[in-house]
Amino acid sequence: MAQAASDVRAMFDRIAGRYDVANRVMSAGLDVLWRRRAMRFLLDGIDERSWVLDLGAGTLDGAVEILRQRPEARVVAVDFARTMLAEGRCKPGAAAVALHAADGHRLPYRDGAFAAAFSGFCVRNLRDLASGLAELRRVIRPAGRLVILEFFRPARPRLFWDGLWTGRLLPLLGWAIGGDRAAYRYLPDSIQRFDTRADFETKLRTAGFADVRGQELFPGGIASLVEAR
Ligand SMILES: C[S@@+](CC[C@H](N)C(=O)[O-])C[C@H]1O[C@@H](n2cnc3c(N)ncnc32)[C@H](O)[C@@H]1O
């Protein structure tokens, strides 16, 4: 059963202080490369001083990467877990990011406010994915780009990645590093409850994104990048 939004928010607030180190260790640093790649797609062809949204920005690694690649961009980082945002605030480059504590289901922005939006490992947590995607479509200007990084439920069972790595080793590593086994049990459980990439792409089309393309990321398609406009 899906967890209540308040449980998810409380969990991220609880693990905020250890989130970055756990992330780096559990992905062997690949999350940094995945975000770099995502931002190249996100920023391709948009104006230097464009407004760019990072939904579920967490400790601001995505927002800071946007500014590293596009220093003139106006970046707004939204997250409903204030401790996650606060944790990222001292990172180099983060002072230029506007931080907003808000829920992705009700974004406090006018229609078409952003030239582009990014969301990394957040949409899997949304209580009502259809309304979250509709909200993203609303705040991105027509033909503006959305880039999603996510762990989707695999279409075919992958014994090593799903059974062993994500299912068994990650929760143990999360426990050892983050001191919170339940939070890292949530990761494999939420992946198993989530859409396959193909299902998710269909929902993006339903939400009004006409051009949707997904790709698996190295290694083994454990994470995916989906680009839509
Ligand atoms: C796994 S973290 C990812 C953080 C960051 N994007 C990254 O790549 O490291 C997911 C983030 O999404 C946020 N989140 C989940 N559901 C949300 C919602 N409904 N509204 C706003 N933020 C949400 C969580 O608080 C958490 O900080």
Side-chain angles (χ1 to χ4, degrees), residues 8 12 19 23 35 54-59 61 78-81 84 102-105 118 120-122 125-126:
V8 173
F12 281 107
Y19 177 82
N23 234 8
R35 281 190 209 88
D54 181 1
L55 172 66
T59 56
D61 281 346
V78 168
D79 203 294
F80 66 1
M84 290 288 278
D103 190 323
H105 298 92
F118 166 75
F121 309 107
C122 169
N125 302 291
L126 295 178

Coordinates of all heavy atoms in Angstrom, one line a residue, residues 8 12 19 23 35 54-59 61 78-81 84 102-105 118 120-122 125-126, ligand 1:
V8 N 6.0 10.1 4.2 CA 7.1 10.2 3.2 C 7.9 11.5 3.6 O 9.1 11.5 3.7 CB 6.6 10.3 1.8 CG1 7.8 10.6 0.8 CG2 6.0 9.0 1.4
F12 N 11.9 11.7 4.8 CA 13.0 12.4 4.2 C 13.6 13.5 5.2 O 14.8 13.7 5.3 CB 12.6 13.1 2.9 CG 12.6 12.1 1.8 CD1 11.4 11.6 1.3 CD2 13.8 11.6 1.3 CE1 11.4 10.6 0.2 CE2 13.8 10.7 0.3 CZ 12.6 10.2 -0.3
Y19 N 21.6 11.8 4.0 CA 21.1 11.5 2.7 C 22.2 11.5 1.6 O 22.3 10.5 0.8 CB 20.0 12.4 2.3 CG 19.5 12.2 0.9 CD1 18.5 11.2 0.6 CD2 19.9 12.9 -0.2 CE1 18.1 11.0 -0.7 CE2 19.5 12.7 -1.5 CZ 18.5 11.7 -1.7 OH 18.1 11.5 -3.0
N23 N 23.5 8.3 -0.5 CA 23.3 8.3 -1.9 C 24.5 8.0 -2.7 O 24.5 7.2 -3.6 CB 22.9 9.7 -2.3 CG 21.6 9.7 -3.1 OD1 20.9 8.7 -3.2 ND2 21.2 10.9 -3.6
R35 N 22.7 12.8 -13.0 CA 22.2 14.2 -13.0 C 22.9 15.1 -14.0 O 22.2 15.9 -14.7 CB 22.4 14.9 -11.6 CG 21.4 14.4 -10.6 CD 21.4 15.2 -9.3 NE 20.9 14.4 -8.2 CZ 21.7 13.6 -7.5 NH1 23.0 13.6 -7.7 NH2 21.2 12.8 -6.6
D54 N 13.2 22.6 -10.1 CA 13.6 21.3 -9.7 C 12.6 20.8 -8.6 O 12.6 21.3 -7.5 CB 15.1 21.4 -9.1 CG 15.6 20.0 -8.6 OD1 14.8 19.0 -8.8 OD2 16.7 19.9 -8.1
L55 N 11.8 19.9 -9.0 CA 10.7 19.4 -8.1 C 11.3 18.2 -7.3 O 11.8 17.2 -7.8 CB 9.5 18.9 -8.9 CG 8.4 18.2 -8.1 CD1 7.8 19.1 -7.0 CD2 7.4 17.6 -8.9
G56 N 11.1 18.3 -6.0 CA 11.6 17.2 -5.1 C 13.1 17.4 -5.0 O 13.9 16.4 -5.1
A57 N 13.6 18.6 -4.9 CA 15.0 19.0 -5.1 C 15.9 18.4 -3.9 O 17.1 18.3 -4.1 CB 15.1 20.5 -5.1
G58 N 15.3 18.0 -2.8 CA 16.1 17.4 -1.8 C 17.2 18.2 -1.3 O 17.0 19.4 -1.0
T59 N 18.4 17.7 -1.3 CA 19.6 18.4 -0.8 C 20.3 19.2 -1.9 O 21.5 19.5 -1.8 CB 20.6 17.4 -0.1 OG1 20.9 16.4 -1.1 CG2 20.0 16.8 1.1
D61 N 21.3 18.7 -5.1 CA 22.4 18.3 -6.0 C 21.9 18.6 -7.5 O 22.8 19.0 -8.3 CB 22.7 16.8 -5.9 CG 23.6 16.5 -4.7 OD1 24.2 17.5 -4.2 OD2 23.7 15.4 -4.3
V78 N 12.0 23.1 -5.2 CA 10.8 22.8 -4.4 C 10.9 21.5 -3.7 O 11.3 20.5 -4.4 CB 9.5 22.8 -5.3 CG1 8.3 22.3 -4.6 CG2 9.3 24.2 -5.8
D79 N 10.6 21.4 -2.5 CA 10.5 20.1 -1.8 C 9.6 20.3 -0.6 O 9.5 21.4 0.0 CB 11.9 19.7 -1.3 CG 12.0 18.2 -1.1 OD1 11.3 17.7 -0.2 OD2 12.7 17.6 -1.8
F80 N 8.8 19.3 -0.2 CA 8.0 19.4 1.0 C 8.7 19.1 2.2 O 8.2 19.3 3.3 CB 6.6 18.8 0.8 CG 6.6 17.2 0.7 CD1 7.7 16.4 0.8 CD2 5.3 16.6 0.6 CE1 7.6 15.1 0.7 CE2 5.2 15.2 0.5 CZ 6.4 14.5 0.6
A81 N 9.9 18.5 2.1 CA 10.7 18.2 3.3 C 11.7 19.4 3.6 O 12.8 19.4 2.9 CB 11.4 16.9 3.2
M84 N 15.5 18.6 4.2 CA 16.3 18.2 3.0 C 16.8 19.5 2.3 O 18.0 19.6 2.0 CB 15.4 17.4 2.0 CG 15.1 16.0 2.5 SD 16.5 14.9 2.4 CE 16.5 14.4 0.7
A102 N 7.1 23.3 -0.7 CA 5.8 23.2 -1.2 C 5.6 21.7 -1.7 O 6.5 21.0 -1.8 CB 5.6 24.1 -2.4
D103 N 4.3 21.4 -1.9 CA 3.9 20.0 -2.3 C 3.8 20.0 -3.8 O 3.1 20.9 -4.4 CB 2.6 19.7 -1.6 CG 2.3 18.2 -1.8 OD1 2.5 17.6 -2.9 OD2 1.7 17.6 -0.8
G104 N 4.4 19.0 -4.4 CA 4.3 18.9 -5.9 C 2.9 18.7 -6.4 O 2.7 19.0 -7.6
H105 N 2.0 18.4 -5.6 CA 0.6 18.3 -6.1 C -0.1 19.6 -6.2 O -1.1 19.8 -6.9 CB -0.3 17.4 -5.2 CG 0.2 16.0 -5.0 ND1 1.1 15.6 -4.1 CD2 0.0 14.9 -5.8 CE1 1.4 14.3 -4.2 NE2 0.7 13.9 -5.3
F118 N 12.9 19.8 -13.9 CA 13.6 18.6 -13.7 C 13.0 18.0 -12.4 O 12.6 18.7 -11.5 CB 15.1 18.9 -13.5 CG 15.9 17.7 -12.9 CD1 16.2 16.6 -13.6 CD2 16.3 17.7 -11.5 CE1 16.9 15.5 -13.1 CE2 17.0 16.7 -11.0 CZ 17.3 15.6 -11.8
G120 N 14.3 14.6 -9.9 CA 15.1 13.4 -9.7 C 14.7 12.6 -8.6 O 14.7 13.0 -7.4
F121 N 14.2 11.4 -8.9 CA 13.9 10.4 -7.8 C 12.8 10.8 -6.9 O 12.8 10.5 -5.7 CB 15.1 9.9 -7.1 CG 16.3 9.6 -8.0 CD1 17.4 10.4 -8.1 CD2 16.2 8.4 -8.7 CE1 18.4 10.1 -9.0 CE2 17.2 8.1 -9.6 CZ 18.3 8.9 -9.8
C122 N 11.9 11.7 -7.4 CA 10.8 12.2 -6.6 C 9.4 11.7 -7.1 O 8.6 11.4 -6.2 CB 10.8 13.7 -6.7 SG 9.3 14.5 -6.1
N125 N 7.4 9.0 -5.5 CA 6.9 9.2 -4.1 C 5.6 9.9 -4.1 O 5.0 10.1 -3.1 CB 7.9 10.1 -3.3 CG 9.3 9.4 -3.2 OD1 9.4 8.4 -2.6 ND2 10.2 10.0 -3.9
L126 N 5.1 10.4 -5.3 CA 3.9 11.2 -5.3 C 2.7 10.3 -5.0 O 2.5 9.2 -5.5 CB 3.7 11.9 -6.7 CG 4.8 12.9 -7.0 CD1 4.5 13.5 -8.4 CD2 4.8 14.0 -6.0
Ligands
LIG1 C1 14.9 10.5 -3.2 S1 14.8 12.2 -2.8 C2 15.6 13.0 -4.3 C3 16.2 14.3 -4.0 C4 17.0 14.9 -5.1 N1 16.1 15.2 -6.2 C5 18.1 14.0 -5.6 O1 18.2 13.7 -6.8 O2 18.9 13.6 -4.7 C6 13.1 12.6 -3.1 C7 12.7 14.0 -2.7 O3 11.4 14.3 -3.1 C8 10.7 15.0 -2.1 N2 9.2 14.8 -2.3 C9 8.6 13.6 -2.3 N3 7.2 13.8 -2.5 C10 7.1 15.2 -2.7 C11 6.0 16.0 -2.9 N4 4.7 15.5 -3.0 N5 6.2 17.3 -3.0 C12 7.4 17.8 -2.8 N6 8.5 17.1 -2.6 C13 8.4 15.8 -2.5 C14 11.2 14.3 -0.8 O4 11.0 15.2 0.3 C15 12.7 14.1 -1.1 O5 13.5 15.2 -0.8

